[in-house]
Amino acid sequence: FAFISPGFSALLLTSLLLIPCFVRSAEFDPYKILGVGRRASQAEIKKAYKTLAREWHPDKNKDPSAEDMFIKISKSYEILSNEERRANFDRYGQMEENQPFGQSPHQGFRSFHHSFYFDESFFQFPRSREFADSKYLLHHAQFNSEVLPDSFRRPYLIKVTSEWCFACIHIEPVWKETVEELEPLGVGIGIIDLGYERRLSNQLGAHRAPSIIGLVNGRVSFFHQAVVREHLRQFIEDLLPSTLVQKVLGNYLSFLEAWQVENKPSVLLFDQVPVVPLLYKLTAFAFRDYVRFGYVDQGATHNSRLLRQFNINTYAPTMLLFKEDTQNPVDIIQARGMKKQIMDEFVTNNKFLQVPRLVNQQLFDELCPIKQFHRRRKFCVLLITDQDQAFAPGNKAFLDFAAANKKDVLRFAYVYQQHQQPLCQALLRNQATLSPQVVLLERRTQAGKVLFRSVGGGWNGSEEDKYRLYGEIELLQKDPSYLSSDATLPELNNEMAPIFIIRWLNAVYDYFLQVYDELLYSNWREMMPILSLIFSALFILFGTVIIQAFSEPGENKPQKPKSKEQPPSTDPGLTLGDTRGTQQVTELTDITYTSNLVRLRPGHINVVLVLSDASKNVLLRKFAKEVFSFSGTQTLHFSFLNLDKHRHWMPALLRSARPGDLEDEQDFSDFTGHVLALNGHKRYFCLFRPVFTGDESGGDSSLSDASRGASRATSIELHHKLDRLGLWMERLLEGTLPRVHVPAWPSLDPHSSTSHS
């Protein structure tokens, strides 16, 4: 080959290297393996895959080649079920096993992050994934079902990589050292391959490789510094809440006595370093819902008295756990090489107080689990009390009783009746009691069903009460059927939940923190929706201001609607204003009588005020004020009847009433100020009689004259006639008013003897 030119030699070498790729492409054809055509739909591909997978599954098919065939079938479906991978195969044929399907094999050189590194080589030599990394690979379903919920108990450090990423190779040694350091401390580790997990990377907003993501409490944060082990460690530490561990500077009693408010045991951590170790912070994050953590620097001079009091060995880290007794720890652990597993086991065994207070449903579920097997049954001894200082001695006696009866089958707890009223009412059978009560119960179902029995005599902490409770517990352990009552308990109120404004402020803080982070590092692809929303809001805001600035002053004033039929009076009380519309108080005349009463639609009621010319202005204003809040109801209509024009109508209406519907002793000498609720369809009415609440010298005798009473009455007396109309209207809407039925409505015409049916 000495006579061959260098250019031809390079071309020949390239061809020889590409021959195996074409050979493998001819050997593997997913369409042929699944037995479908190149234009097959996704439904056809899925159907063919299920059929072949059942046929060639190694557990069912004993053919020696079944396993290899099953792998080929799965790989073929993996290619054809994804439109991007399928299109890539149709264009370029089968790729290498480790090549990401989202990349074209003919893209050539491409820069990485605008740097001098290349993430692909010319000859497409794939980098094989190390076996150690395979256990950290994350998939979309696994991430949402396992990793995301688990991030509320421990932080996750996730690397986004790709098989053709040369820059990923440079950070690999630092990544391995970081994983070896942080994973034993309890940090979750994950790896996402951009080529295979496009859906997951899009969900997290990771579009470049390499990228490093931190995940805490479901919140995603990107690492933007140089990839150094110290920086990655600090990145994880910064993701944790800053209030996880409280530094104790001699004031240990105030820290320990907070168990009464937070309802949690307290742990004091003693170590020689001035800063809180990351291992302690991770343990505090995992158990923050159960235990409070404090840190004591052994090297600080102001902590020497505390070290002597608890006899702390300064040569090894020490953990003391306190419950209700703030002077004596209930458990202690000391070791030179404190391990995550040891600390977790130590806290898990002591994560509840001796007698915790039931403050939420989760705590109730863990303290009093549902019965599954006879040997695992748990009985809950519950004290129903209150937080008043008068109940403190009885609560302390109950704590002493629980400390002396440490049986695994019994769980002691107490609840404040004022804070958990639904629970207490279900257990006390709605019996009002002022003294504390003790209830023995066993949970049976997840829906809240329990068997229980109340201990008679109440509880005040006396020796007699303790003896009686001890006897009840002994009977219960011998015969579980001793619990004779059953009930379904409601879900407990979450007493520790922050108020709405606090939750809202925390959400706003996280949102602005995320926006600042994205703006700082110019992740414009993720910021485009947020920026679009901000600019749209600003455009609408300033557009509205500009339109209002250039509009004429009179354009924004609401114009009064013109009514087709004006009422006879121009009094302002004839119009009832409401946010849902405006209703007119019309006068019942010969023209409006039929439409407003006789032919009133089913379900509609006309509320009619009876007045005279002398009392018209005063009563209409009072009437409009009293019925204003009911004017938005579409089924109510408002009218008034003038006695000076239709004096005979009210007596005719009352005479036509059915016997017994009206009380005989009622005085109907003066009808001014009466209000009628008329149902024209069912032909009945409800009657409101005036009630005087004002002062007058003559009592009710001033209304005894039928024709002159209204003129003699003063304006103050007329105003008080409708004082209780609002209450009457409420009873009208409730349907509790007595109804007076009539066979037919009398006519308004005094010269006509006909009635309206």
Side-chain angles (χ1 to χ4, degrees):
F1 296 99
F3 58 88
I4 299 177
S5 63
F8 183 77
S9 301
L11 179 62
L12 180 61
L13 178 60
T14 303
S15 304
L16 292 175
L17 289 173
L18 293 176
I19 286 175
C21 297
F22 296 129
V23 172
R24 282 190 293 270
S25 176
E27 291 177 354
F28 183 82
D29 188 348
Y31 292 100
K32 291 183 179 180
I33 293 176
L34 294 182
V36 296
R38 289 187 174 269
R39 295 186 178 181
S41 63
Q42 287 294 332
E44 295 173 345
I45 293 174
K46 187 175 183 180
K47 182 179 179 181
Y49 165 72
K50 288 184 177 181
T51 303
L52 293 174
R54 284 194 298 266
E55 179 183 354
W56 290 97
H57 197 282
D59 294 341
K60 298 181 179 180
N61 196 324
K62 302 304 180 182
D63 193 313
S65 61
E67 185 175 356
D68 294 337
M69 187 62 184
F70 184 77
I71 294 175
K72 291 182 179 180
I73 293 170
S74 301
K75 187 176 181 181
S76 301
Y77 180 70
E78 183 182 1
I79 296 173
L80 300 184
S81 61
N82 187 288
E83 293 296 341
E84 186 178 359
R85 300 177 184 179
R86 183 179 179 182
N88 198 44
F89 178 84
D90 292 341
R91 292 190 185 97
Y92 310 113
Q94 171 62 21
M95 299 174 294
E96 293 293 336
E97 180 180 1
N98 293 326
Q99 179 179 341
F101 290 99
Q103 300 173 353
S104 168
H106 300 290
Q107 289 178 342
F109 290 105
R110 181 164 59 87
S111 62
F112 173 74
H113 292 190
H114 308 288
S115 64
F116 57 88
Y117 292 115
F118 299 116
D119 61 348
E120 297 178 7
S121 65
F122 181 77
F123 294 112
Q124 304 295 310
F125 295 135
R127 179 175 62 88
S128 61
R129 181 184 294 118
E130 295 188 11
F131 179 77
D133 290 346
S134 60
K135 67 177 182 178
Y136 301 121
L137 285 176
L138 300 179
H139 306 286
H140 183 265
Q142 174 200 5
F143 176 83
N144 288 281
S145 62
E146 299 177 8
V147 176
L148 201 59
D150 195 44
S151 67
F152 290 86
R153 294 184 292 271
R154 60 172 176 165
Y156 271 81
L157 191 66
I158 302 173
K159 180 181 70 173
V160 180
T161 183
S162 173
E163 291 291 350
W164 297 91
C165 170
F166 280 179
C168 301
I169 302 176
H170 291 272
I171 69 171
E172 195 67 27
V174 179
W175 173 260
K176 288 183 178 179
E177 293 177 359
T178 306
V179 170
E180 291 175 357
E181 177 187 3
L182 297 182
E183 190 177 21
L185 300 181
V187 178
I189 306 297
I191 296 178
I192 299 176
D193 195 313
L194 275 181
Y196 293 95
E197 289 298 332
R198 293 297 180 99
R199 187 179 176 186
L200 178 56
S201 61
N202 290 334
Q203 176 183 340
L204 299 178
H207 306 286
R208 299 180 298 183
S211 296
I212 295 178
I213 297 174
L215 181 68
V216 172
N217 290 333
R219 183 176 178 269
V220 176
S221 301
F222 282 84
F223 177 77
H224 298 288
Q225 299 180 357
V227 183
V228 183
R229 186 175 64 175
E230 289 75 13
H231 291 173
L232 290 173
R233 179 189 177 96
Q234 189 62 40
F235 173 63
I236 287 294
E237 197 163 350
D238 293 340
L239 292 178
L240 299 174
S242 57
T243 57
L244 282 175
V245 181
Q246 177 181 342
K247 280 196 173 183
V248 179
L249 304 175
N251 57 340
Y252 76 99
L253 282 179
S254 61
F255 171 76
L256 296 178
E257 289 174 354
W259 69 267
Q260 302 180 14
V261 178
E262 299 195 23
N263 195 43
K264 298 176 183 177
S266 303
V267 172
L268 282 180
L269 315 171
F270 295 82
D271 207 342
Q272 296 177 344
V273 293
V275 296
V276 182
L278 179 59
L279 175 61
Y280 291 164
K281 289 186 177 181
L282 293 172
T283 305
F285 180 75
F287 295 95
R288 66 188 185 279
D289 294 334
Y290 301 96
V291 181
R292 302 171 60 251
F293 286 81
Y295 181 74
V296 179
D297 180 12
Q298 297 179 0
T301 56
H302 48 264
N303 289 326
S304 56
R305 176 174 172 271
L306 182 60
L307 300 178
R308 291 194 303 270
Q309 179 177 350
F310 294 107
N311 194 22
I312 301 299
N313 182 4
T314 58
Y315 297 99
T318 307
M319 295 178 65
L320 302 181
L321 192 140
F322 297 82
K323 293 188 177 181
E324 287 88 347
D325 187 359
T326 58
Q327 298 296 329
N328 302 304
V330 296
D331 204 350
I332 182 173
I333 182 175
Q334 192 173 54
R336 289 185 177 273
M338 194 75 74
K339 302 295 183 182
K340 173 68 174 176
Q341 184 178 0
I342 299 175
M343 297 178 65
D344 289 349
E345 184 178 357
F346 174 76
V347 179
T348 302
N349 295 334
N350 299 280
K351 65 179 183 178
F352 298 118
L353 295 171
Q354 290 183 348
V355 184
R357 177 163 61 94
L358 299 184
V359 294
N360 52 48
Q361 187 64 35
Q362 178 184 355
L363 183 60
F364 188 30
D365 294 340
E366 295 191 45
L367 283 175
C368 304
I370 299 171
K371 173 193 172 183
Q372 296 179 348
F373 304 101
H374 180 74
R375 295 183 178 179
R376 297 183 182 179
R377 67 194 320 162
K378 302 290 183 182
F379 299 107
C380 197
V381 183
L382 182 63
L383 172 65
I384 300 177
T385 182
D386 219 324
Q387 59 185 7
D388 191 87
Q389 194 62 29
F391 299 100
N395 299 343
K396 179 64 170 59
F398 187 78
L399 173 62
D400 297 338
F401 181 86
N405 292 270
K406 297 180 179 180
K407 297 182 179 180
D408 186 58
V409 73
L410 296 176
R411 298 290 177 85
F412 291 85
Y414 70 100
V415 61
Y416 285 153
Q417 186 173 359
Q418 183 180 1
H419 296 165
Q420 303 291 343
Q421 289 185 359
L423 173 72
C424 298
Q425 289 175 359
L427 293 176
L428 298 178
R429 302 292 190 182
N430 297 322
Q431 296 178 1
T433 176
L434 298 177
S435 61
Q437 302 288 328
V438 177
V439 178
L440 308 176
L441 63 88
E442 180 186 14
R443 298 183 64 205
R444 285 303 183 97
T445 64
Q446 194 69 33
K449 183 178 180 180
V450 297
L451 298 179
F452 71 96
R453 185 184 184 94
S454 298
V455 179
W459 176 269
N460 56 19
S462 63
E463 293 298 327
E464 181 182 356
D465 291 342
K466 294 181 181 180
Y467 181 78
R468 186 189 310 111
L469 178 58
Y470 182 80
E472 296 273 355
I473 293 176
E474 290 294 324
L475 292 176
L476 175 62
Q477 293 180 352
K478 294 178 181 179
D479 184 13
S481 61
Y482 187 66
L483 303 178
S484 56
S485 303
D486 65 277
T488 300
L489 301 183
E491 186 172 352
L492 271 70
N493 302 324
N494 190 358
E495 301 178 21
M496 297 300 180
I499 61 177
F500 171 76
I501 187 64
I502 299 298
R503 297 198 302 267
W504 185 81
L505 290 176
N506 291 335
V508 171
Y509 173 76
D510 292 340
Y511 176 78
F512 280 104
L513 192 65
Q514 180 181 1
V515 172
Y516 172 77
D517 184 72
E518 298 293 348
L519 285 174
L520 183 63
Y521 296 100
S522 303
N523 192 355
W524 298 108
R525 179 182 298 188
E526 292 300 312
M527 285 298 299
M528 283 306 296
I530 300 176
L531 294 176
S532 176
L533 178 62
I534 294 175
F535 282 115
S536 299
L538 292 176
F539 177 79
I540 294 173
L541 177 62
F542 286 105
T544 305
V545 174
I546 293 173
I547 292 174
Q548 291 181 353
F550 286 95
S551 62
E552 295 183 3
E555 293 181 358
N556 296 329
K557 293 182 179 180
Q559 299 181 358
K560 297 180 180 180
K562 297 181 180 180
S563 57
K564 297 181 180 179
E565 182 178 328
Q566 296 291 341
S569 175
T570 59
D571 191 279
L574 298 179
T575 300
L576 301 178
D578 187 66
T579 57
R580 291 163 286 187
T582 301
Q583 293 190 14
Q584 297 290 337
V585 183
T586 59
E587 181 179 359
L588 286 183
T589 63
D590 295 334
I591 300 175
T592 61
Y593 183 78
T594 303
S595 60
N596 284 273
L597 176 59
V598 179
R599 296 182 180 177
L600 204 62
R601 287 178 292 176
H604 287 240
I605 294 177
N606 195 346
V607 181
V608 181
L609 169 66
V610 181
L611 48 78
S612 62
D613 288 335
S615 61
K616 181 177 181 178
N617 293 333
V618 177
L619 289 181
L620 273 178
R621 289 192 183 94
K622 180 65 174 179
F623 181 73
K625 180 180 179 181
E626 291 293 327
V627 303
F628 174 80
S629 59
F630 307 95
S631 59
T633 307
Q634 300 297 327
T635 58
L636 290 181
H637 307 271
F638 301 93
S639 306
F640 67 91
L641 178 72
N642 195 330
L643 286 176
D644 294 334
K645 299 178 182 179
H646 310 286
R647 188 178 306 277
H648 77 286
W649 188 80
M650 276 292 293
L653 177 66
L654 298 178
R655 285 195 302 269
S656 64
R658 294 180 182 177
D661 286 355
L662 288 173
E663 298 180 5
D664 297 334
E665 65 273 15
Q666 290 184 349
D667 181 16
F668 294 109
S669 57
D670 179 23
F671 298 105
T672 304
H674 285 65
V675 180
L676 300 168
L678 306 173
N679 190 318
H681 181 69
K682 293 187 176 181
R683 292 198 294 277
Y684 71 80
F685 66 91
C686 302
L687 180 63
F688 169 82
R689 298 193 64 212
V691 178
F692 279 85
T693 58
D695 295 329
E696 59 173 343
S697 59
D700 290 344
S701 62
S702 61
L703 295 177
S704 59
D705 296 333
S707 60
R708 305 296 184 203
S711 62
R712 291 201 308 267
T714 64
S715 60
I716 298 179
E717 295 167 352
L718 289 172
H719 180 77
H720 285 296
K721 280 191 173 186
L722 302 179
D723 277 349
R724 298 187 182 179
L725 180 59
L727 299 176
W728 183 82
M729 289 292 298
E730 291 181 1
R731 294 183 59 194
L732 173 65
L733 295 181
E734 293 172 357
T736 58
L737 289 176
R739 299 175 179 179
V740 181
H741 294 268
V742 294
W745 299 111
S747 175
L748 279 181
D749 186 7
H751 304 290
S752 176
S753 59
T754 59
S755 299
H756 299 275
S757 300

